[in-house]
Amino acid sequence: MNKNAKIYIAGHNGMVGSAVKRNLEAKGFTNIVTRSSSELNLIDGVAVANFFAAEKPEFVVLAAAKVGGIVANNTYRAQFIYENLMIQNHVIHQSYLNGVKKLLFLGSSCIYPRNATQPMREDELLTGVLESTNEPYAIAKIAGIKMCEAYHAQYGCNFISIMPTNLYGQNDNYDLEKSHVLPALIRKMVLGKCLMDNDIDGLRADLNKLPIEGVDGSFALETIMLMLEKYGITTVDDKVSITLWGTGSPMREFLHVDDMADSSVFLLLNYDAPDTLPSHVNAGCGEDLSIKDLSEIVRKTVDYKGEIVWDTSKPDGTPRKLLDVSKLKSLGWSPSVSIQEGIRRVVETY
């Protein structure tokens, strides 16, 4: 890849897309094309076709997607399958029509069956029933993988896919309704610590940066407290507690987004679409921990000393999600950021 090759990053403002952009720039790539969602609606097929015809990118990183945690996935099921399918269909097809040299499609580890053998190898795909809470999103991502494979088989397109584990890091989503587990944990404990320290200014500053259902720091303290209580952040008789979903027993693997970006760029530079299936590559650290253990790392890092309550009436989701990353490792890539160091960086930034 020439350092001046034209690279289009779809979703460059998102957590993964922005990390890929930083990684490419750090490696000296200078001709990166971006469009915000307000500039280019990837659900609009005509707009996408016009963009590709005008820009003619040589390489494409498809990081744009509608994403969210277990609540969002389970609530906005139609939006998750429709929007993700449309984004993928338009970008992948236009990449073919406009002679893109290589496309990298970013998926998710939720593509694997709920009860897949652990750790999950690439060939576990389509061997069982999916986790019901995120099935629409998973089906869309599976379709993206299969599109890349089909376009390679029929047209010889060098379209590849990477399937990351749970990601976290810079530019994560801290919306308590729609965020994934780790950013939700961090924000809840930061807000809980503000309550413990009677740091009302800190509480208001947090809400000014990211209002909760429209409630920002300018609202009356009583209104703010009611909103926090709705999301399980409460104080009773000077005792602060935060409520988390499920039992805390599910096992999850986490990869810092800077490592994810580095593995993505590594594949873009070193991995071509194979004729044998499965073609996609898992990306993770190869180690997992329980949500309860994760919460204790966050608690220690944030210095939250309040109570943690587990709401066992809420779903746990998939019991375990650990990727087999031997394929990526055999290609010559390994992660560099530990979960403890990664959380420290995130909390410090937050």
Side-chain angles (χ1 to χ4, degrees), residues 15-26:
M15 180 172 66
V16 176
S18 61
V20 170
K21 184 173 181 288
R22 290 194 305 272
N23 190 284
L24 285 168
E25 290 171 339

Side-chain angles (χ1 to χ4, degrees), residues 226-244:
L226 286 172
M227 185 55 66
L228 294 180
E229 184 177 351
K230 178 179 178 179
Y231 285 93
I233 307 163
T234 61
T235 177
V236 179
D237 298 328
D238 296 327
K239 292 183 178 179
V240 177
S241 69
I242 63 169
T243 300
L244 305 177

Side-chain angles (χ1 to χ4, degrees), residues 55-114:
E55 288 293 337
K56 293 291 185 182
E58 298 173 77
F59 298 87
V60 171
V61 177
L62 180 43
K66 182 174 181 63
V67 298
I70 187 173
V71 179
N73 269 278
N74 203 29
T75 304
Y76 307 109
R77 299 176 71 86
Q79 287 174 260
F80 269 78
I81 192 166
Y82 173 76
E83 293 184 22
N84 283 300
L85 282 173
M86 291 303 99
I87 291 168
Q88 297 162 195
N89 290 349
H90 295 150
V91 174
I92 293 173
H93 188 61
Q94 288 302 325
S95 293
Y96 153 64
L97 291 179
N98 288 275
V100 166
K101 294 178 181 177
K102 184 182 283 189
L103 176 143
L104 175 66
F105 172 69
L106 284 86
S108 166
S109 60
C110 73
I111 61 168
Y112 294 111
R114 172 182 170 84

Side-chain angles (χ1 to χ4, degrees), residues 117-241:
T117 302
Q118 301 290 326
M120 298 178 289
R121 303 185 314 272
E122 285 85 356
D123 60 10
E124 286 284 332
L125 184 64
L126 297 177
T127 59
V129 176
L130 298 166
E131 162 61 31
S132 62
T133 54
N134 58 22
E135 183 184 67
Y137 178 74
I139 288 173
K141 289 300 180 182
I142 292 169
I145 297 171
K146 291 302 176 183
M147 277 192 78
C148 289
E149 292 177 349
Y151 276 64
H152 173 67
Q154 184 171 348
Y155 303 121
C157 298
N158 195 3
F159 294 174
I160 60 176
S161 304
I162 184 169
M163 297 298 118
T165 187
N166 299 286
L167 303 174
Y168 68 102
Q170 188 173 332
N171 291 334
D172 210 340
N173 176 17
Y174 291 90
D175 183 321
L176 292 180
E177 182 186 11
K178 300 175 181 177
S179 65
H180 289 98
V181 59
L182 186 46
L185 275 174
I186 291 171
R187 191 176 189 201
K188 281 190 173 187
M189 290 197 191
V190 167
L191 291 170
K193 180 171 169 52
C194 286
L195 290 178
M196 288 185 61
D197 297 342
N198 198 30
D199 181 8
I200 305 305
D201 288 341
L203 196 66
R204 292 187 183 278
D206 183 284
L207 292 175
N208 280 332
K209 185 174 182 180
L210 184 60
I212 303 175
E213 293 187 21
V215 174
D216 61 23
S218 69
F219 279 66
L221 186 59
E222 181 181 1
T223 303
I224 291 174
M225 296 302 291
L226 286 172
M227 185 55 66
L228 294 180
E229 184 177 351
K230 178 179 178 179
Y231 285 93
I233 307 163
T234 61
T235 177
V236 179
D237 298 328
D238 296 327
K239 292 183 178 179
V240 177
S241 69

Side-chain angles (χ1 to χ4, degrees), residues 1-7 28-32 58:
M1 256 175 91
N2 188 289
K3 291 297 173 69
N4 195 45
K6 183 178 277 192
I7 307 168
F29 291 93
T30 58
N31 194 6
I32 298 174
E58 298 173 77

